[in-house]
Amino acid sequence: NPNNDHEEPTLKHLLAFCLVLFGAPAFAAEGMWTPAQLPELADVLEARGLQIDPRSMTDLTGHPMKAIVSLGGCSASFVSPQGLVITNHHCAYGSISYNSTGDRNLLENGFVAAGLADELPAEPGSRILVTVQGEDVTGTILGDLPVGLGGRARYQAIEDGQKELVRACEQDEGHRCRVSSYHGGLRYELIKQLEIRDVRLVYAPPLSVGKYGGDIDNWMWPRHTGDFAFYRAYVSPGGEPADPAEENVPSQPRHWLRVQPGGVQEDEFIMVAGYPGRTNRYRLADEVANVIDWFYPQRTRAYGIWLAAIEAATSENPDAALKYASIMAALNNAIKNYGGMLEGFAKGDLVQSKQALERDLQAWIGSDPKRRGRYPNAVEELKALVAESQSHQVRDLYYENLTGRSALLGAARQLYRLAREQEKPDEAREPGYQDRDLIQIRESLARIEGTFDPEVEQQVWLKLLLTYAAIPEDQHVEPFDRQLGLDGNAVDAPALKAKLDEMYAGTSLGDTQARLDWVGKSAAELEASDDPFIRLAVALYESDMQLEEEQKDLAGRLQAARPRYMDALLAFQQSRGRVVYPDANSTLRISYGRVTGSRPRDGLIFSPFTTLEGILEKDTGVEPFDMPRDLLDTIREKRYGVRVDERLGSVPVNFLSTLDATGGNSGSAILNGRAELVGLLFDGTWESIIADWDFLEDKSRSIQVDIRYI
């Protein structure tokens, strides 16, 4: 302490110093930490550069955490007292596409609202979710479960407990609640979020900025992408969440992020705050081996077929191509992601390290009678259930995933399931079909219009059906085959095409109002319909329910086995002095790190920043390297204004960091040590794709767009 030469060092000071100096594994940059865990990290966070009280970040109603919001798949942040929200361009892609037409192509040209009255509605179903409370409800969910409860019964008991908690929580109008599980179901938390339902598009750069480099640069470095956009949250004149309406006014959040216009420098401490979707860091070796040998290769194949079918069907239809742009972008991203995963696995030894961990865990359990009594067969039981789940994966991918890609069949199934569920008391209905879900059901049915063209869907679905028909016959679903005239692997393609011609010609579900008119109809009314897609949904209902029952039984058994394994694993890791973060599960998390480049392989060095000059070097004038001419002229003339970084001699565009992140973190705020906004996370480097399963501190790097470029 420079202000007290006589202060003696405490254990706390020495621990923080040693952690920084020696990089103890417990406090490495790895980890997507819950806000409640931050006090455990207080010493190391302060030593590394955090300038606010880490305990203040456990308060979800205070600054900065209440400024961090979810879009239900992406992250975002309030950045003004008038409800302005910043996120990634690719997170707003659906809304930009929804408002685009051939004559007014906002994807290509970008959009800026001249004033509040000119802001555009986001795509139907858009939400801004503000987390206001998290409460541990493990005792409520698991406390009264009988010992030895069967899989299906256990699943139902946990679901019923969750529904009751959600029902009580949502008595507070304007809020959306859910129960999230941690460590495979070892712990449960009730999450309460303010649900803002009127979301409007304020600004989006042209595609040539927001997706500069396109799929070529995706997951690559150096990067020069302006992946940012702005929404605004609207509420009723009284300040409450409300359905979209002309009289609504901009939300006035109590907390929003302040921008640090000076950005960040190399080696500076930073944090990312957002809603990472899902990681699998604590899975078994068998599960890792399966994704390497089967899951990712088969997904790559299946999604490649799907993507090629869309491209062929839209090649001469620009309006349809615009509608399917967001789906194609998602498929391209997934395919490239899977390829990067497989390459990352091939360069590492994750399966072997997982096997070694399981052996060490079993030895630790077996070395103590009390542990043997508490964790009997914890590893073996889970391994057996994992093997059982993998026996259905061909059917899960090619039947449930691929053949379900007809928007019209999906709508028909949803409508008939809703009718059947509404025959029950609300509390007994399947989640997703309760009264609380009716608004979202209507929105999902309306949203189909933005990504649907009947001719395109028919061509694409035919290709997907033929792909499904070719899988082993024991993975087929007989009622589905019978209804569509499929005969195992022997398929009459012309007859199947004629069948689809008849179905698409005879349906009214391609019309949005026709779909919405079926909401609230009885099961008997739907059963009497002559619409071919509704008839197909009715015919498939019993087999759909049978498959769902099988899945719930297996899920219930996993809900018993995985927590036992995780309980043992956490105790083992804690016995070795390690603080353990939970896998990502779309709840609010904080990761910390620093701005730095990397050496991904021999002879290759990644500098931490890219600059405007790199855009000039890449630009060819041809998509995806076709920056708008006025911006190119600005760069050539070095009209940098006040955003220039004197050390770089230019304006930074993107930067690298050691932040631990995954899907769902897109749009997340990057905060400096004072919790000021310095950028947005939008991607990771090729070497980081494996982060869903493993974190490599020397190679894993996230990619951010610099606030000075924004």
Side-chain angles (χ1 to χ4, degrees):
N1 185 340
N3 299 316
N4 185 352
D5 294 338
H6 303 289
E7 181 183 44
E8 293 186 2
T10 64
L11 179 61
K12 170 181 172 181
H13 295 140
L14 290 172
L15 175 62
F17 173 75
C18 291
L19 289 172
V20 173
L21 184 63
F22 299 113
F27 295 102
E30 175 182 351
M32 302 175 197
W33 304 92
T34 66
Q37 288 184 293
L38 295 182
E40 297 181 69
L41 308 176
D43 293 339
V44 72
L45 290 172
E46 291 169 353
R48 292 200 175 182
L50 182 63
Q51 298 176 47
I52 65 171
D53 184 352
R55 284 161 284 271
S56 70
M57 299 179 73
T58 66
D59 181 6
L60 302 184
T61 65
H63 184 80
M65 301 311 291
K66 199 171 182 182
I68 309 301
V69 302
S70 170
L71 302 179
C74 279
S75 301
S77 309
F78 283 120
V79 287
S80 90
Q82 293 297 316
L84 195 67
V85 170
I86 191 169
T87 189
N88 285 157
H89 177 272
H90 77 260
C91 294
Y93 202 96
S95 293
I96 304 167
S97 176
Y98 174 77
N99 285 285
S100 294
T101 65
D103 296 329
R104 191 192 188 202
N105 191 334
L106 303 187
L107 275 176
E108 182 177 339
N109 301 321
F111 170 75
V112 58
L116 295 177
D118 300 295
E119 294 172 359
L120 300 174
E123 66 176 328
S126 296
R127 296 287 190 273
I128 291 173
L129 300 165
V130 188
T131 300
V132 297
Q133 185 179 348
E135 176 187 357
D136 191 309
V137 293
T138 308
T140 304
I141 296 292
L142 302 179
D144 295 329
L145 292 183
V147 176
L149 201 61
R152 180 64 181 89
R154 183 182 184 86
Y155 181 95
Q156 193 61 52
I158 291 174
E159 182 182 278
D160 289 345
Q162 292 175 329
K163 286 194 293 188
E164 177 55 30
L165 286 166
V166 167
R167 184 201 62 77
C169 178
E170 290 183 353
Q171 296 301 306
D172 190 355
E173 194 171 344
H175 290 79
R176 191 80 174 175
C177 304
R178 63 188 172 97
V179 177
S180 295
S181 67
Y182 297 78
H183 294 308
L186 186 62
R187 185 171 74 84
Y188 289 85
E189 187 175 37
L190 177 65
I191 309 292
K192 183 178 182 180
Q193 295 178 309
L194 186 72
E195 182 186 42
I196 296 175
R197 303 192 298 273
D198 190 345
V199 183
R200 304 185 194 179
L201 182 65
V202 177
Y203 172 85
L207 195 66
S208 54
V209 172
K211 200 180 176 182
Y212 189 77
D215 293 318
I216 296 173
D217 271 6
N218 192 19
W219 299 100
M220 295 293 142
W221 188 260
R223 196 72 174 273
H224 300 83
T225 307
D227 199 347
F228 66 96
F230 290 88
Y231 281 131
R232 195 183 306 277
Y234 278 77
V235 293
S236 72
E240 301 298 326
D243 292 332
E246 188 175 346
E247 66 268 17
N248 288 350
V249 297
S251 171
Q252 296 184 356
R254 290 185 59 189
H255 300 283
W256 65 92
L257 300 180
R258 274 65 172 182
V259 167
Q260 171 46 258
V264 287
Q265 299 297 325
E266 185 173 2
D267 287 326
E268 185 172 342
F269 170 88
I270 54 174
M271 302 176 289
V272 58
Y275 292 80
R278 187 163 300 280
T279 54
N280 306 286
R281 304 269 175 90
Y282 305 105
R283 296 288 175 150
L284 296 176
D286 289 351
E287 293 175 284
V288 178
N290 182 68
V291 299
I292 296 171
D293 297 335
W294 194 91
F295 187 85
Y296 287 144
Q298 288 295 322
R299 287 255 168 170
T300 300
R301 173 183 179 270
Y303 285 5
I305 292 169
W306 184 10
L307 178 63
I310 296 175
E311 289 174 338
T314 60
S315 61
E316 298 181 4
N317 189 338
D319 287 341
L322 196 58
K323 284 190 170 187
Y324 284 82
S326 59
I327 296 175
M328 293 172 70
L331 288 170
N332 271 310
N333 185 64
I335 291 168
K336 192 165 187 177
N337 179 283
Y338 297 154
M341 290 274 196
L342 292 171
E343 185 174 314
F345 284 129
K347 292 179 178 178
D349 61 350
L350 186 58
V351 173
Q352 292 76 16
S353 66
K354 291 279 187 184
Q355 290 170 337
L357 175 62
E358 289 165 26
R359 287 193 297 270
D360 291 344
L361 173 60
Q362 288 178 307
W364 178 78
I365 293 171
S367 66
D368 182 87
K370 290 183 179 179
R371 292 197 288 265
R372 289 198 300 271
R374 182 173 178 178
Y375 311 119
N377 303 315
V379 179
E380 295 87 345
E381 183 182 3
L382 181 57
K383 289 180 72 170
L385 289 174
V386 164
E388 182 180 342
S389 70
Q390 291 171 359
S391 68
H392 306 304
Q393 59 191 3
V394 174
R395 183 192 67 196
D396 293 345
L397 173 58
Y398 287 96
Y399 174 68
E400 297 196 30
N401 193 325
L402 277 199
T403 70
R405 294 302 174 175
S406 162
L408 299 192
L409 178 57
R413 274 175 158 154
Q414 185 177 39
L415 289 164
Y416 186 62
R417 180 69 180 272
L418 175 63
R420 294 293 294 260
E421 294 294 330
Q422 287 185 322
E423 295 171 348
K424 310 172 188 175
D426 187 61
E427 65 274 11
R429 296 177 196 165
E430 184 74 10
Y433 293 93
Q434 296 179 281
D435 288 344
R436 68 190 289 268
D437 303 305
L438 287 176
I439 291 175
Q440 292 187 334
I441 288 173
R442 288 183 172 276
E443 289 171 338
S444 69
L445 291 168
R447 192 163 56 241
I448 290 172
E449 181 180 358
T451 56
F452 172 77
D453 177 274
E455 293 184 6
V456 172
E457 176 169 295
Q458 184 176 342
Q459 292 180 52
V460 171
W461 200 35
L462 174 62
K463 183 64 176 177
L464 298 183
L465 289 173
L466 292 172
T467 303
Y468 155 76
I471 68 174
E473 291 192 26
D474 64 352
Q475 295 290 317
H476 278 228
V477 177
E478 192 276 331
F480 183 81
D481 289 20
R482 184 174 66 252
Q483 292 298 321
L484 286 172
L486 303 177
D487 183 17
N489 298 140
V491 179
D492 185 339
L496 179 58
K497 181 181 182 303
K499 172 75 173 177
L500 298 191
D501 288 342
E502 179 183 343
M503 291 179 66
Y504 280 89
T507 185
S508 63
L509 292 183
D511 178 73
T512 299
Q513 191 56 52
R515 292 192 299 273
L516 294 174
D517 286 344
W518 280 108
V519 176
K521 299 287 188 182
S522 69
E525 288 174 298
L526 282 148
E527 289 160 5
S529 171
D530 61 359
D531 186 290
F533 281 95
I534 293 177
R535 283 163 44 202
L536 178 58
V538 171
L540 294 176
Y541 179 77
E542 293 302 328
S543 62
D544 286 350
M545 292 304 97
Q546 182 180 345
L547 288 175
E548 187 174 295
E549 287 296 304
E550 293 173 5
Q551 291 162 351
K552 287 180 177 180
D553 178 69
L554 177 59
R557 287 180 283 144
L558 283 165
Q559 285 173 334
R562 201 175 292 276
R564 282 197 286 269
Y565 170 78
M566 287 304 302
D567 190 23
L569 180 62
L570 293 180
F572 175 54
Q573 296 289 41
Q574 288 163 4
S575 75
R576 303 198 291 177
R578 300 192 176 184
V579 181
V580 181
Y581 59 91
D583 264 322
N585 62 352
S586 297
T587 58
L588 186 57
R589 302 294 180 92
I590 298 286
S591 299
Y592 68 91
R594 64 190 180 98
V595 178
T596 187
S598 67
R599 295 173 178 263
R601 50 188 177 274
D602 184 48
L604 183 62
I605 300 174
F606 287 170
S607 61
F609 290 94
T610 59
T611 65
L612 293 176
E613 280 67 28
I615 295 173
L616 288 181
E617 293 173 0
K618 283 184 177 178
D619 205 273
T620 62
V622 178
E623 187 182 358
F625 300 103
D626 55 342
M627 190 65 68
R629 184 168 298 278
D630 57 347
L631 184 51
L632 292 175
D633 291 342
T634 297
I635 300 171
R636 291 189 185 99
E637 296 165 13
K638 298 187 181 296
R639 289 189 273 118
Y640 300 145
V642 299
R643 302 300 172 222
V644 66
D645 184 311
E646 297 299 338
R647 299 186 191 186
L648 297 173
S650 183
V651 177
V653 177
N654 297 153
F655 65 89
L656 294 175
S657 77
T658 60
L659 294 170
D660 191 359
T662 189
N665 269 126
S666 291
S668 291
I670 304 300
L671 308 175
N672 64 12
R674 296 180 297 278
E676 298 167 329
L677 183 67
V678 294
L680 293 180
L681 193 148
F682 72 92
D683 205 357
T685 60
W686 187 249
E687 295 74 22
S688 306
I689 294 180
I690 200 174
D692 281 3
W693 298 87
D694 196 14
F695 181 83
L696 308 172
E697 190 172 7
D698 59 336
K699 292 186 178 181
S700 293
R701 294 292 183 269
S702 62
I703 304 176
Q704 292 73 215
V705 56
D706 195 290
I707 197 66
R708 290 164 286 189
Y709 185 57
I710 296 175

